[in-house]
Amino acid sequence: MLEGFPRNDGRKGIRNHLVVAYLVECAHHVAREIVHPYRDDGAQVIGFPGCFPNDYAQKMMERLCTHPNVGAVLLVSLGCESFNRFALEQTIEASGRPVKTVVIQHSGGTRAAIATGREWVCGQLRDMAGAKKVPMDVSELVVGTVCGGSDGTSGLTGNPAVGLAFDRLVDAGAACIFEETGELIGCEGIMSARARTPELAAALTAAVEKAATYYATLGFGSFAAGNAEGGLSSIEEKSMGAYAKSGSSVISGLIKPGDIPPRGGLYLMDVVPDGDVRFGFPNITDNAEIVEMVASGAHLTLFVTARGSVVGSAIAPVIKVCANPQTYANMSEDMDVNAGRILSGTPLAEVGQEIFDLTLEVAGGCPTVSETLGHTEFILTYKSFEPIGPACLPA
């Protein structure tokens, strides 16, 4: 039995972070300086750099600041940005979390705002140190998965091993989220065949077709030079490897960033914006995808990498699964799981079980490698989405 931090909405957190959130890039430095003395005590920086309002960013920040792994929030505003800080503060307050807003223009400038922020953060961290945990079941977990820096080993080792772990988690009642529709091109037929209903199958197919159109318009697909250097020949081959991390469970729904799965099961996240191409590439970095899954309630993320990635994420732990044995030998201090040993005879099922077991250990409080190293990457930019339709979450 796991233990988690209880929240007013009934969810439970596997971490208890204090978040300092900047609401425009102009406030980023102040937010970073507020956190600096407390970065080893559970304080983390997140934020939205844009000044022009954006419904997607507003929803994302509301979801992130009320994530079950978050126990208190300090908002840092310059004062003249268009982000609706009042609505965000009200949402956080309604969730039962302590919240304060520091407005730099009203506080006397940089030094004064930093001092005010640090005083509040110090007091809140002291109060949060006494937070009590309650029993938590595996079925209450939300787990995401991404893959980045893929090569020819990704679809043979790391991704299918995560797929087996996902199957175990879904069987235990957890909600599991896989993504990136731009890396499922060519797999829409076999993926849709796993949908719970014909209507959901059509929605899954439409999401992948939207991604293909979006990238065709941009003239640049989700296939990088590093993928080719690693032995992948095409987006279809890359897609087959990426698809493997979804496992074999029935697909229960289709969600978009910030949509929280209503129950356990397997969900595809559509990360490609709706409407005309307006905001550039939909997945700037792997970190952006992780943030979107965290905004949908993911307690932690399974990150498969073959070429090698060092990142973690703010708010929710990242477990890095290394697909390539040579990369693991070179970067073992940044990896949690060596899935590359499958190529030398270790059974796939054994590594899948290891990932499942480690997921529960991390949910129980064990730090990941990226947490130990202090990685708390975060990125949030402009996007635009329409609400999901009734076919996306069949009863």
Side-chain angles (χ1 to χ4, degrees), residues 17-20 34-35 38-45 121 125 376:
H17 294 305
L18 184 151
V19 162
V20 177
I34 290 171
V35 164
Y38 310 107
R39 64 191 185 281
D40 295 327
D41 301 318
Q44 298 185 348
V45 177
V121 167
L125 287 173
T376 56

Side-chain angles (χ1 to χ4, degrees), residues 21-45:
Y22 60 91
L23 306 182
V24 66
E25 184 60 27
C26 308
H28 192 164
H29 172 75
V30 169
R32 185 170 56 242
E33 287 299 304
I34 290 171
V35 164
H36 187 76
Y38 310 107
R39 64 191 185 281
D40 295 327
D41 301 318
Q44 298 185 348
V45 177

Side-chain angles (χ1 to χ4, degrees), residues 61-381:
M61 290 295 286
E62 290 177 359
R63 291 289 193 266
L64 291 163
C65 290
T66 58
H67 187 281
N69 289 356
V70 173
V73 182
L74 177 69
L75 304 179
V76 183
S77 162
L78 176 61
C80 56
E81 71 276 359
S82 297
F83 192 97
N84 191 340
R85 67 177 185 267
F86 306 104
L88 179 57
E89 183 176 37
Q90 289 171 1
T91 297
I92 298 166
E93 187 174 32
S95 76
R97 291 166 173 79
V99 59
K100 178 181 175 65
T101 300
V102 172
V103 181
I104 299 169
Q105 292 171 347
H106 300 169
S107 300
T110 297
R111 293 184 189 278
I114 291 171
T116 299
R118 285 182 178 175
E119 181 180 8
W120 190 84
V121 167
C122 182
Q124 287 302 318
L125 287 173
R126 187 165 51 245
D127 293 343
M128 292 167 64
K132 304 297 183 183
K133 290 185 175 182
V134 298
M136 179 178 181
D137 192 74
V138 177
S139 63
E140 298 178 82
L141 285 176
V142 182
V143 181
T145 186
V146 302
C147 53
S150 302
D151 71 10
T153 67
S154 299
L156 300 173
T157 61
N159 285 336
V162 166
L164 291 179
F166 255 33
D167 289 343
R168 288 287 310 275
L169 288 164
V170 170
D171 287 345
C176 292
I177 306 170
F178 72 108
E179 49 67 66
E180 177 189 348
T181 47
E183 291 183 2
L184 292 171
I185 296 170
C187 298
E188 56 268 32
I190 55 175
M191 179 176 64
S192 298
R194 295 166 54 194
R196 185 169 297 281
T197 65
E199 293 78 13
L200 175 59
L204 296 173
T205 299
V208 177
E209 290 175 346
K210 179 184 69 171
T213 300
Y214 198 99
Y215 281 117
T217 303
L218 289 171
F220 186 92
S222 188
F223 189 85
N227 299 143
E229 291 173 3
L232 292 173
S233 64
S234 64
I235 183 59
E236 288 80 9
E237 185 178 10
K238 184 180 181 182
S239 294
M240 287 299 295
Y243 173 73
K245 68 182 184 291
S246 69
S248 59
S249 301
V250 170
I251 299 176
S252 297
L254 171 69
I255 62 175
K256 296 180 182 181
D259 295 331
I260 298 173
R263 63 189 70 85
L266 179 66
Y267 297 83
L268 171 66
M269 176 176 284
D270 177 5
V271 298
V272 176
D274 293 319
D276 296 333
V277 178
R278 292 187 289 166
F279 303 121
F281 300 119
N283 300 310
I284 300 170
T285 68
D286 299 317
N287 302 99
E289 299 166 13
I290 294 172
V291 167
E292 289 178 328
M293 286 191 293
V294 175
S296 287
H299 290 92
L300 58 90
T301 299
L302 306 177
F303 184 173
V304 182
T305 183
R307 303 281 291 176
S309 175
V310 301
V311 303
S313 184
I315 298 179
V318 174
I319 295 174
K320 290 204 291 299
V321 178
C322 188
N324 188 315
Q326 294 179 345
T327 301
Y328 185 84
N330 187 45
M331 300 180 64
S332 60
E333 291 186 354
D334 283 281
M335 303 299 163
D336 295 281
V337 177
N338 177 15
R341 69 187 195 274
I342 292 169
L343 296 179
S344 58
T346 301
L348 177 64
E350 180 179 321
V351 179
Q353 182 66 43
E354 178 184 346
I355 296 169
F356 174 80
D357 292 340
L358 182 58
T359 297
L360 299 191
E361 291 174 14
V362 170
C366 177
T368 65
V369 168
S370 62
E371 286 182 294
T372 301
L373 293 171
H375 281 284
T376 56
E377 285 80 2
F378 185 91
I379 183 170
L380 179 61
T381 55

